[in-house]
Amino acid sequence: MSRPLLKVENLTKHYPTAAGFLEKAAPVVRAVEDVSFSVEAGETLCIVGESGCGKSTIARLLMRLIDPTSGRVLIDGTDIAGLKKHELRAWRRRMQMVFQDPFSSLNPRLTAGQIITEPVENFERLSRKQRQALAADLLGKVGMSPELMNRLPSEMSGGQRQRLGIARALALQPAVIIADEAVSALDVSVQAQILNLLMDLQQQLGIAFIFISHDLSVVEHIGHRVAVMYLGRIVELSSCEALFAKPVHPYTEALIAAAPVPDPARVRVQAPLEGEVPSPIDPPRGCAFHPRCPLAVERCRLDVPPLVPLADGRLVACHVRAPAEGRPDHLGSVPESSLAVG
Ligand code: SF4
C-alpha cells in the first residue's frame, strides 16, 4: 500500500491561559484534541465546522506556524512537528498556504511579478530573465496575462488577487496546499472560477489540498473527503459523496440541514442546530456535543465517543449512531429513520 503524502497523528494543541489569583494551575484552551487523518497526492480533504472548532489552528499546526502540544505531522514519512527551525526550512517548500484575504496577505509595495518570485528567491538567486520567465509561467498557470506582472495588488480585482496568491503558493512546487477559507471573501461567480482553477491545477500537478471552509456548498463542490470538526475533535470523516448523501453524526446532520440549498428540488431534513458552541476552556464532559444533541443518552454525558469505522469506510464518533460495540457493521445497525437524507 502506498504511503500517504501527509499523515497527521493524534495532533493536539492546548493554549495556556493566565492563571487566576487563587488557582493552582492555569486552565487551558483545548483548540485541537487528538486529531488524526491522512491525505494522498491529488486528493482534497476538506475540514469543516463552526467557527472556533479548531480548523484554522490545524492549518497553522500543519504549516508549523505554531508548535503542537503533542502529536505528529508526517510529510513523506518525516515528522515536521519535531524538526528544529533550520531543519524546517527545506520542508516548508513542500507545503504552502493560500489565505482568506488576498489583499492583506500580499505585500502592497511589491508588483505581481515580485510577489510570485519572492518565495523562490528565498532559496535561490534568479537572474532578471529567469525571474520574468517564472512570473510569466505562474501567471499563465492561474489564468492571468503576463502583462499584469508589473501591477501592484491595489491595481487588481479581488479575484485577480486571489489568483496571484495561488500563483505565489505554486512557485515552490509544493506537494500540499492548505487553503484556509480561500474563497469566502469573494463574490459567488469569482468563487466558482477560483474553485475550478484549483481543481484544474490539482489535475495537472497532482497537488493535495487541505481545504478549510465553513461553507458546505463549496466543500461539496471541491472535496474528495470531508472531516467534520466540533470543539477541537473530528466527529465524522467520510467521502464527500457519502457525507452529503447520508450524514451519520448528529452534528453533521444538523450542519447539512442548516446549510442553504441552491436547488429548490432538493429538500433538506429539518434538524436545526440550537445553542452555542461551548467554550474550549471548559468543554462539556463526555461528548462535547451532548448539550445540543437531540439523541443524547446518559453515556454521552460521561464518555468521549471514539472515532469508529463504519461498514462504508467512514469514521464517526457517536455512542448512539456508531457504538464501539458490535462492529464491523455499524452503518447497517443505524436506524434508517434516524438518518437525514439530502
Ligand atoms: Fe449525540 Fe451522544 Fe452521539 Fe454525542 S455521542 S453526538 S451526544 S448521541
Side-chain angles (χ1 to χ4, degrees), residues 24-76:
K24 283 189 194 134
V28 293
V29 177
R30 297 172 186 277
V32 173
E33 199 73 74
D34 199 19
V35 163
S36 299
F37 59 81
S38 61
V39 185
E40 305 279 342
E43 184 187 29
T44 299
L45 173 74
C46 296
I47 303 180
V48 301
E50 290 165 288
S51 73
C53 71
K55 53 194 192 302
S56 290
T57 307
I58 288 186
R60 297 172 71 209
L61 287 166
L62 296 184
M63 292 299 293
R64 262 295 294 275
L65 300 175
I66 52 173
D67 290 333
T69 304
S70 60
R72 306 204 303 162
V73 177
L74 300 144
I75 305 179
D76 295 330

Side-chain angles (χ1 to χ4, degrees), residues 207-274:
I207 300 169
F209 284 111
I210 297 189
F211 199 90
I212 293 166
S213 180
H214 69 279
D215 185 338
L216 290 182
S217 61
V218 166
V219 167
E220 195 171 11
H221 186 70
I222 197 169
H224 295 119
R225 284 187 304 138
V226 189
V228 181
M229 287 193 69
Y230 189 77
L231 220 58
R233 291 182 188 271
I234 292 179
V235 296
E236 184 160 1
L237 178 56
S238 164
S239 76
C240 204
E241 213 180 353
L243 187 106
F244 283 95
K246 197 180 208 180
V248 172
H249 195 281
Y251 178 60
T252 315
E253 198 174 77
L255 272 187
I256 292 177
V261 186
D263 179 358
R266 286 176 72 186
V267 179
R268 298 271 199 227
V269 170
Q270 290 304 305
L273 195 50
E274 287 173 357

